[in-house]
Amino acid sequence: MKSPVRKESCHDPRTVVQPDKGALIRRLNRIEGQVRGVNKMVSEDRYCVDILNQVAALQSALDAVAMLLLESHTHGCMQGAIKSGNGDEAIDELMAVVRKFAR
Amino acid sequence: MKSPVRKESCHDPRTVVQPDKGALIRRLNRIEGQVRGVNKMVSEDRYCVDILNQVAALQSALDAVAMLLLESHTHGCMQGAIKSGNGDEAIDELMAVVRKFAR
Amino acid sequence: MKSPVRKESCHDPRTVVQPDKGALIRRLNRIEGQVRGVNKMVSEDRYCVDILNQVAALQSALDAVAMLLLESHTHGCMQGAIKSGNGDEAIDELMAVVRKFAR
Amino acid sequence: MKSPVRKESCHDPRTVVQPDKGALIRRLNRIEGQVRGVNKMVSEDRYCVDILNQVAALQSALDAVAMLLLESHTHGCMQGAIKSGNGDEAIDELMAVVRKFAR
């Protein structure tokens, strides 16, 4: 069975309540802690490979946040814009963002 | 003219003073601020595409930190290990990190 | 001024004429030639860094093809599916592809 | 147990016999076939998401080739250059390549 689609609620002027907003904020709090942890490792002259591994973990955590935001955006605001007849503009905007996260 | 090679100073037991340690710490302070900024945007129900653009900027800032660490590591500790006859181990360790940052 | 939006023409059962199909095929012909070029470099024992640079160029050429396909897909089939009321399914399918190209 | 380290044999003027050269050539032959397959899918107006999935598989196959080349290069030529006292130059060259494959 598929999980229910998670959509943002999109309102004008462009305020968007993220689905599971609380969970997203907790993820970002943890990511902030990870950045502080990397900073501390540099301050304490820790071994560079150990620091690099923590930076990689941090990047993965940020990638996950980006994918959550992208998923709720496409199901929510973008789909809404397409149904309202502003599809091409919304899709150009999406593609500009996707290019930034594409390799 | 080439800029001078920037090497870490590598000591046992594996403490490594990063070149331009202060600049690296300032970069990470800024990155921490960027994470807080993204968190605030989510809290304030900002438009998802605007948040995604800030996450992409954050990723680029972290990529730059990773490349700085990788550069000082290869010129410093890794090169030192190779000269000391522990090259294959040091290179396996490097490749494991490079794979994490490779696409 | 913006360039006109390039959409596929989408028909059931899922045949899709790519916009600028001829140009896309020519790109892929060139990419095939690049792969043969890399293969020849390996056969001729060429310097590994020179080969790696050609592989990187090849990846960039493929990335460009992927982004062209993704752009025509979102403006064409995906937008069409959303307008026909099959949006969530089409968006899940899109996100599964985007994840493969995201870092 | 670790697998034995796979090094290239490096000779001047910069000819490099890749370890498992035959296997590498067979991989590239398969990749060439995959490119032809993608081209055929475009020609036959196949569904864009199916094509994109094949392009993603092709990228993964190329990434694997790049990592094999990078691994044999670092253990082989790069390590040799460092031992010969040309380390900083060899490492700058490596980092320029790594940046191309990093995200």
Side-chain angles (χ1 to χ4, degrees):
Chain A
M1 210 191 88
K2 296 213 40 177
S3 60
V5 173
R6 303 159 58 72
K7 297 183 194 186
E8 318 143 327
S9 59
C10 234
H11 302 285
D12 264 331
R14 288 196 158 172
T15 64
V16 183
V17 182
Q18 293 299 321
D20 265 343
K21 182 177 158 174
L24 199 54
I25 288 172
R26 282 190 295 278
R27 267 176 193 265
L28 286 161
N29 286 339
R30 274 197 300 275
I31 287 171
E32 194 190 321
Q34 285 177 280
V35 176
R36 264 199 300 273
V38 169
N39 209 335
K40 189 159 177 283
M41 291 177 90
V42 173
S43 302
E44 295 175 348
D45 303 330
R46 295 278 297 277
Y47 183 49
C48 22
V49 172
D50 294 340
I51 304 176
L52 280 160
N53 283 328
Q54 290 308 308
V55 175
L58 183 46
Q59 296 273 36
S60 297
L62 272 170
D63 291 342
V65 165
M67 287 304 121
L68 283 174
L69 288 166
L70 206 54
E71 190 153 352
S72 62
H73 171 67
T74 45
H75 281 289
C77 296
M78 186 202 71
Q79 184 165 212
I82 290 171
K83 287 178 176 171
S84 309
N86 301 312
D88 286 326
E89 194 187 345
I91 292 167
D92 286 341
E93 188 186 54
L94 172 74
M95 285 302 302
V97 165
V98 165
R99 280 173 197 277
K100 290 187 180 177
F101 289 96
R103 52 204 217 137
Chain B
M1 211 190 87
K2 296 212 41 177
S3 60
V5 172
R6 303 159 59 73
K7 297 183 194 185
E8 319 144 325
S9 58
C10 235
H11 302 285
D12 265 331
R14 288 197 159 172
T15 64
V16 183
V17 182
Q18 292 300 321
D20 267 343
K21 182 177 160 176
L24 198 55
I25 288 173
R26 283 190 295 277
R27 267 177 194 264
L28 286 162
N29 286 339
R30 274 197 300 275
I31 287 170
E32 194 190 321
Q34 284 176 281
V35 175
R36 265 198 300 273
V38 168
N39 208 336
K40 189 159 177 282
M41 290 177 89
V42 173
S43 301
E44 295 176 348
D45 304 329
R46 295 278 297 277
Y47 183 50
C48 22
V49 172
D50 294 339
I51 305 176
L52 279 161
N53 283 328
Q54 290 308 308
V55 175
L58 184 47
Q59 296 272 36
S60 297
L62 272 170
D63 291 342
V65 164
M67 287 304 121
L68 283 174
L69 287 166
L70 207 54
E71 190 154 351
S72 62
H73 171 66
T74 44
H75 280 288
C77 296
M78 186 202 71
Q79 184 166 212
I82 290 172
K83 287 179 175 170
S84 309
N86 302 312
D88 286 325
E89 193 187 346
I91 291 167
D92 285 342
E93 187 188 54
L94 171 74
M95 285 302 303
V97 165
V98 165
R99 280 173 197 277
K100 290 188 181 178
F101 288 96
R103 52 204 219 138
Chain C
M1 211 192 88
K2 296 211 43 178
S3 59
V5 172
R6 303 158 58 73
K7 297 182 196 186
E8 318 143 326
S9 58
C10 233
H11 302 284
D12 263 331
R14 288 198 160 170
T15 64
V16 183
V17 182
Q18 292 300 320
D20 266 343
K21 181 177 161 176
L24 199 55
I25 288 172
R26 283 189 294 278
R27 267 177 194 264
L28 286 161
N29 286 339
R30 275 196 299 275
I31 287 170
E32 194 189 322
Q34 285 177 278
V35 175
R36 264 198 301 271
V38 168
N39 208 337
K40 189 159 177 282
M41 290 176 90
V42 173
S43 303
E44 295 175 348
D45 303 329
R46 294 278 297 277
Y47 183 49
C48 21
V49 172
D50 294 340
I51 304 176
L52 279 161
N53 283 328
Q54 290 308 308
V55 174
L58 183 46
Q59 295 272 35
S60 297
L62 272 170
D63 290 341
V65 165
M67 288 303 121
L68 284 174
L69 288 165
L70 206 53
E71 191 153 350
S72 63
H73 171 67
T74 46
H75 281 288
C77 296
M78 185 201 71
Q79 184 166 212
I82 290 172
K83 287 179 175 169
S84 310
N86 302 312
D88 287 325
E89 194 187 346
I91 292 167
D92 285 342
E93 186 186 55
L94 171 74
M95 284 302 303
V97 164
V98 165
R99 280 173 197 276
K100 290 188 180 176
F101 289 96
R103 54 204 218 134
Chain D
M1 209 192 90
K2 297 214 41 180
S3 60
V5 172
R6 302 159 58 72
K7 297 182 194 186
E8 319 143 324
S9 58
C10 234
H11 302 284
D12 263 331
R14 288 197 159 172
T15 63
V16 183
V17 182
Q18 293 299 320
D20 266 343
K21 181 177 162 177
L24 198 55
I25 288 172
R26 282 190 295 278
R27 267 177 194 265
L28 287 161
N29 285 340
R30 274 197 300 276
I31 288 171
E32 192 189 323
Q34 284 177 281
V35 176
R36 264 198 300 272
V38 169
N39 208 338
K40 188 158 177 284
M41 290 176 90
V42 173
S43 302
E44 294 175 349
D45 303 330
R46 296 278 296 278
Y47 183 49
C48 21
V49 172
D50 294 340
I51 305 176
L52 279 161
N53 283 328
Q54 290 308 308
V55 174
L58 183 45
Q59 295 272 36
S60 297
L62 271 169
D63 291 341
V65 164
M67 287 304 120
L68 284 174
L69 288 165
L70 206 52
E71 190 153 351
S72 62
H73 171 67
T74 45
H75 280 289
C77 296
M78 187 201 71
Q79 185 166 212
I82 290 173
K83 287 179 175 169
S84 310
N86 302 312
D88 287 325
E89 195 187 344
I91 291 167
D92 285 341
E93 187 187 55
L94 171 74
M95 284 302 304
V97 165
V98 165
R99 280 173 196 279
K100 291 188 182 177
F101 288 96
R103 54 204 217 136

